[in-house]
Amino acid sequence: MLSRLDEAAIREDATHAWLADSAAPRHPLDGLTLPDADKPDAYTWNKAPRLAGEVVETGAIARQLASAQPLVRDAVARHGGTVYTRVLARLIELARVVPMMERWLQQLQSGESYCVPSPHFTEASAWA
């Protein structure tokens, strides 16, 4: 079951990343991305997502479970978050998104705008 996201509870942990920002997990707006290729015990360039202090899935498995994809739900129930279920979720995601991309491309009209102009921001903050 999906619940409302508490954005204030999001943190990124850089403890094992080749990044200097590792004192404690930080909210993405407060984090730094400063490379440190010589950091001891590091093994990745990625920060690890946390929600309310818990490890969270954010990739294809999470997206397919959130959309209630039955094959991924069954595979994860049987095998957990394994390499097998991650690859399966990625393949299903490709199979689902390619037809959508084809449809979006077909909706483009030659010579017409394909994006909506937006005002220029003088100040903003965001994370992804």
Side-chain angles (χ1 to χ4, degrees):
M1 171 187 268
L2 296 179
S3 57
R4 186 167 189 82
L5 176 63
D6 178 5
E7 294 177 358
I10 296 172
R11 296 290 181 271
E12 294 175 319
D13 186 343
T15 303
H16 299 291
W18 288 299
L19 300 170
D21 181 28
S22 65
R26 298 180 182 200
H27 191 276
L29 288 175
D30 301 324
L32 302 171
T33 304
L34 301 171
D36 181 1
D38 298 320
K39 182 176 173 182
D41 300 321
Y43 55 81
T44 183
W45 286 104
N46 296 318
K47 296 177 184 180
R50 302 286 186 262
L51 184 61
E54 298 293 322
V55 175
V56 290
E57 255 325 312
T58 60
I61 287 179
R63 290 187 295 272
Q64 296 307 311
L65 290 174
S67 69
Q69 207 293 327
L71 182 56
V72 173
R73 287 176 72 178
D74 182 63
V76 170
R78 292 173 188 245
H79 306 288
T82 64
V83 171
Y84 165 75
T85 53
R86 281 179 173 75
V87 171
L88 177 65
R90 290 175 186 139
L91 290 171
I92 290 172
E93 191 163 76
L94 284 172
R96 294 178 79 184
V97 79
V98 168
M100 287 188 273
M101 291 173 68
E102 289 174 340
R103 188 173 62 250
W104 299 331
L105 286 171
Q106 290 170 352
Q107 291 173 349
L108 293 176
Q109 300 295 317
S110 180
E112 291 189 21
S113 288
Y114 56 89
C115 65
V116 176
S118 63
H120 294 285
F121 294 100
T122 58
E123 188 177 315
S125 62
W127 66 91

